[in-house]
Amino acid sequence: MTERLKRSTGRYAGKAATERHAERRRKFLDAALELFGAGPGYQATTVAALCETAGLSTRQFYEEFRTLEDVLAVLHLEVNDYAERAVLDALAQTGDLPAAERYGSVFRAYAASIAEDPRRIRITFTEIVGVGPRMDEQRLSRRARWIDLIRTEAAAAVGRGEAADRDYRLAAAAFIGSVNGLLHDWAAGWVDATLDEVVDELVRLLLALLRSAE
């Protein structure tokens, strides 16, 4: 089944239809976070298993989503949005700090946002990879947003005299690739280091890429 069923309307048990559907949708997403991020993984999860974990029916699933890939797509965006808010909040709070302190604080905020729940790391760096063209496009689109953020910060660092005045397009892409690769390997247990050590190394890499203007 690939088409979403028609949603019910009207009030039931004192709740509006929109409220009921929002609650069901959240239950499906929470169940998927557990199954994709801590259980058998996206590829090994079925709609039936997701519905059982959520305590809902397959009919209710198809009222909210068309496929399991739709669920994975929403989870991936949620995790990225959560991390992006953490980064933007940290940037707003560290505007007067020197570059090393500023980016250290910002990157720790990013790492904390995804490491707070190990399931988020698995969704972001493992389960999303190799699913298909749609997820590849979404993953690369979100990566492009992170690259744009790094380029914006690099331009600001140039304005403060903390970085060389050059085109940071490739440097930003290389840095985001390093972040994704290292965090993926760390989450998979292939890197013998603490998360703090991983973050420290990535901050050093970022500062090296920016290079002093002096």
Side-chain angles (χ1 to χ4, degrees):
M1 183 178 298
T2 59
E3 291 186 4
R4 184 182 301 171
L5 294 178
K6 184 178 180 181
R7 286 182 166 187
S8 57
T9 60
R11 298 187 67 84
Y12 180 80
K15 294 181 179 180
T18 53
E19 185 179 0
R20 296 199 310 274
H21 286 295
E23 289 178 354
R24 290 174 188 170
R25 186 178 179 86
R26 186 70 262 163
K27 286 182 179 180
F28 282 124
L29 291 171
D30 289 344
L33 181 62
E34 181 63 22
L35 292 173
F36 300 170
Y42 168 75
Q43 298 286 2
T45 297
T46 63
V47 170
L50 179 64
C51 292
E52 182 178 358
T53 301
L56 297 168
S57 69
T58 54
R59 177 178 179 82
Q60 288 168 321
F61 174 85
Y62 288 113
E63 287 179 350
E64 307 302 332
F65 302 99
R66 289 180 303 128
T67 65
L68 279 178
E69 189 172 316
D70 288 345
V71 182
L72 179 63
V74 173
L75 279 180
H76 176 251
L77 292 178
E78 281 191 350
V79 173
N80 272 268
D81 287 344
Y82 187 77
E84 186 174 320
R85 286 194 298 270
V87 165
L88 293 176
D89 287 346
L91 284 171
Q93 296 169 16
T94 58
D96 297 331
L97 294 179
E101 295 180 40
R102 175 178 173 82
Y103 296 128
S105 296
V106 168
F107 216 89
R108 281 179 177 78
Y110 170 80
S113 76
I114 58 172
E116 178 183 1
D117 186 339
R119 297 174 299 179
R120 293 176 184 163
I121 295 179
R122 185 171 163 188
I123 293 293
T124 303
F125 299 111
T126 302
E127 295 302 311
I128 196 71
V129 178
V131 172
R134 175 191 173 192
M135 289 296 93
D136 286 344
E137 182 177 353
Q138 178 171 302
R139 180 169 54 88
L140 293 174
S141 176
R142 293 305 300 223
R143 180 181 294 186
R145 285 181 59 158
W146 288 112
I147 290 172
D148 286 343
L149 180 59
I150 294 295
R151 293 180 68 188
T152 298
E153 280 304 302
V158 170
R160 293 191 299 267
E162 296 174 335
D165 187 3
R166 67 185 184 92
D167 184 354
Y168 282 95
R169 177 175 53 88
L170 292 179
F175 178 70
I176 294 301
S178 298
V179 171
N180 290 349
L182 186 54
L183 285 174
H184 172 277
D185 291 355
W186 177 82
W190 299 338
V191 174
D192 183 16
T194 66
L195 182 59
D196 283 341
E197 289 172 331
V198 169
V199 169
D200 287 342
E201 192 61 39
L202 289 170
V203 170
R204 282 191 288 269
L205 177 59
L206 177 58
L207 293 173
L209 286 173
L210 290 175
R211 295 203 308 262
S212 174
E214 299 177 356

